[in-house]
């Protein structure tokens, strides 16, 4: 076998280990989800070594999907961090063997506070499983490591079980994209769902026209605006809109008479507008639906506040 063959076998082994979790899903999984749903405090994830690394990722996933959660190393508990726990919390304790000494010494402290324990281990008969409120079996037949020693399949299985908890909780909470964005304001989704039209609209040097302006003059304003459009304003309110396309079609239709025509002859009298607090995600939907490249931003009195260009929506 060459290097690629070993890699392929590793992927197959880990994939199979994940699939083998399905028959092990029982009432304890439902109980774990319910404990976390009813949690009035925090979900505290703990583990040592590789289990600790996996636990930190699980805690981060839970926290980003609406479940207040953080990771703590059980070794730190002996040096003053016990104060982070309180009644109303839930602990997820991770250990492949279920016999990790540092973790087991941590368990009596948790039980003393009356905090329920969700155990994740590969040994349903372990001490960790025995003292837990519910046990999630993440046992694997073998590690993907050719020596069957390095945590590979077991850590992958544990990680997937953590994701399964997070996803189940998202469904129970009816977690929406908008909720996800609240926890990811710096990501692309967060920006699209939290950024508003007011945040990105152009407000200076707007191509303002009047409906009685001759098209020859209107072309100059549209060209200077560099947005491919001009907005007709009357009494400080939006009266209509013309685009480059409107101008080209008018030239083809009227030829020499084109310069005798006015903006009112070709303008769209009901251009698409949005309020300044409209989310960029909704502005994008409007643009895609009507196959337009710009949207006018107006207040309740139909005063022009700005223009959102399609490129401004690419965050």
């Amino acid at each position: 076998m060459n290097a690629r063959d070993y890699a392929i076998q590793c992927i197959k082994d880990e994939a199979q280990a994940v699939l083998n979790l399905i028959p092990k899903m029982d009432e304890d999984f439902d109980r774990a989800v319910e404990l976390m749903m009813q949690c009035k405090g925090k979900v505290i994830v703990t583990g040592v070594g590789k289990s600790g690394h996996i636990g930190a990722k699980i805690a981060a996933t839970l926290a980003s999907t609406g479940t207040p959660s953080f990771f703590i190393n059980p070794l730190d508990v002996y040096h003053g961090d016990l104060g982070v726990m309180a009644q109303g919390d839930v602990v997820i304790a991770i250990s492949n063997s279920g016999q990790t000494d540092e973790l087991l010494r941590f368990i009596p402290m948790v039980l003393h506070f009356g905090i329920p324990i969700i155990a994740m281990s590969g040994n349903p008969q372990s001490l960790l499983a025995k003292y837990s409120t519910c046990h999630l079996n993440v046992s694997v037949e073998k590690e993907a490591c050719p020596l069957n020693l390095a945590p590979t399949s077991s850590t992958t299985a544990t990680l997937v079980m953590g994701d399964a908890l997070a996803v189940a909780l998202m469904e129970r909470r009816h977690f929406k994209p908008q909720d996800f964005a609240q926890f990811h304001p710096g990501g692309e989704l967060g920006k699209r769902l939290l950024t508003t039209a007011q945040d990105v609209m152009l407000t200076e040097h707007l191509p303002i026209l009047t409906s009685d302006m001759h098209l020859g003059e209107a072309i100059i304003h549209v060209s200077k605006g560099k947005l491919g459009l001009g907005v007709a304003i009357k009494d400080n309110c939006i009266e209509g809109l013309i685009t480059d396309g409107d101008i080209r079609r008018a030239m083809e239709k009227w030829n020499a008479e084109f310069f005798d025509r006015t903006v009112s002859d070709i303008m769209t009298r009901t251009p698409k507008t949005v309020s300044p607090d409209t989310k960029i995600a909704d502005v994008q939907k409007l643009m895609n639906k009507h196959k337009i490249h710009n949207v006018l931003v107006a207040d309740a009195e139909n005063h022009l506040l700005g223009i959102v260009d399609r490129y401004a929506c690419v965050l």
Side-chain angles (χ1 to χ4, degrees):
M1 293 177 64
N2 59 31
R4 190 183 305 172
D5 292 330
Y6 282 112
I8 291 172
Q9 188 59 50
C10 172
I11 294 171
K12 288 181 177 179
D13 289 343
E14 295 202 19
Q16 189 59 53
V18 170
L19 290 174
N20 289 344
L21 289 177
I22 296 175
K24 302 184 182 84
M25 304 282 279
D26 56 18
E27 294 81 4
D28 270 16
F29 183 87
D30 299 330
R31 195 174 297 118
V33 172
E34 193 60 31
L35 281 172
M36 297 168 75
M37 273 293 297
Q38 301 303 322
C39 178
K40 303 299 182 183
K42 311 166 292 294
V43 174
I44 302 172
V45 186
T46 186
V48 179
K50 301 295 189 299
S51 294
H53 295 308
I54 296 301
K57 192 277 178 185
I58 291 174
T61 299
L62 290 170
S64 68
T65 52
T67 301
S69 176
F70 64 88
F71 174 80
I72 185 170
N73 189 317
L75 299 176
D76 294 333
V77 172
Y78 310 129
H79 301 283
D81 285 359
L82 187 62
V84 301
M85 291 192 304
Q87 288 187 342
D89 292 342
V90 171
V91 165
I92 298 178
I94 303 172
S95 167
N96 185 46
S97 68
Q99 299 289 129
T100 306
D101 182 62
E102 297 91 340
L103 192 61
L104 291 178
R105 284 191 284 137
F106 170 62
I107 298 304
M109 305 178 194
V110 179
L111 296 175
H112 175 73
F113 280 99
I115 296 173
I117 299 171
I118 300 170
M120 295 176 63
S121 84
N123 183 1
Q125 307 305 319
S126 64
L127 287 175
L128 177 61
K130 178 181 178 180
Y131 288 106
S132 64
T133 309
C134 49
H135 177 258
L136 305 182
N137 187 352
V138 291
S139 60
V140 298
E141 293 181 2
K142 64 173 184 174
E143 299 288 2
C145 163
L147 301 177
N148 196 30
L149 294 175
T152 44
S153 296
S154 58
T155 49
T156 299
T158 305
L159 183 63
V160 170
M161 185 63 78
D163 287 342
L165 285 173
V167 169
L169 286 164
M170 289 174 70
E171 288 298 318
R172 285 289 306 276
R173 290 197 172 96
H174 306 293
F175 202 73
K176 303 299 182 186
Q178 291 81 358
D179 302 313
F180 189 84
Q182 295 285 348
F183 295 98
H184 299 76
E188 178 184 352
L189 177 63
K191 290 179 181 177
R192 286 196 292 112
L193 291 175
L194 298 179
T195 303
T196 64
Q198 187 174 21
D199 296 326
V200 299
M201 68 184 184
L202 303 171
T203 58
E204 297 181 355
H205 310 298
L206 300 180
I208 304 300
L209 317 172
T210 59
S211 60
D212 59 356
M213 181 183 291
H214 284 90
L215 292 179
E217 182 182 356
I219 290 176
I220 298 174
H221 289 276
V222 170
S223 178
K224 286 183 177 179
K226 299 181 180 180
L227 292 173
L229 59 79
V231 185
I233 300 294
K234 182 178 181 180
D235 297 330
N236 293 321
C237 293
I238 299 170
E239 188 178 13
L241 177 144
I242 66 172
T243 66
D244 282 339
D246 295 329
I247 293 172
R248 288 194 301 273
R249 287 186 288 272
M251 285 181 171
E252 294 173 357
K253 179 179 180 181
W254 289 310
N255 296 315
E257 297 179 15
F258 171 81
F259 292 96
D260 296 325
R261 300 288 178 166
T262 64
V263 169
S264 63
D265 292 325
I266 66 170
M267 72 183 184
T268 298
R269 299 180 183 275
T270 55
K272 303 302 177 187
T273 62
V274 297
S275 64
D277 59 352
T278 302
K279 300 293 189 293
I280 284 300
D282 294 325
V283 174
Q284 286 179 314
K285 291 179 183 177
L286 183 67
M287 289 181 175
N288 293 334
K289 179 180 178 180
H290 297 283
K291 295 180 172 60
I292 55 180
H293 299 284
N294 301 276
V295 171
L296 307 183
V297 183
D299 60 17
E301 287 75 38
N302 204 34
H303 298 140
L304 179 67
L305 302 178
I307 299 174
V308 176
D309 180 76
R310 175 176 291 277
Y311 296 106
C313 295
V314 182
L315 301 173

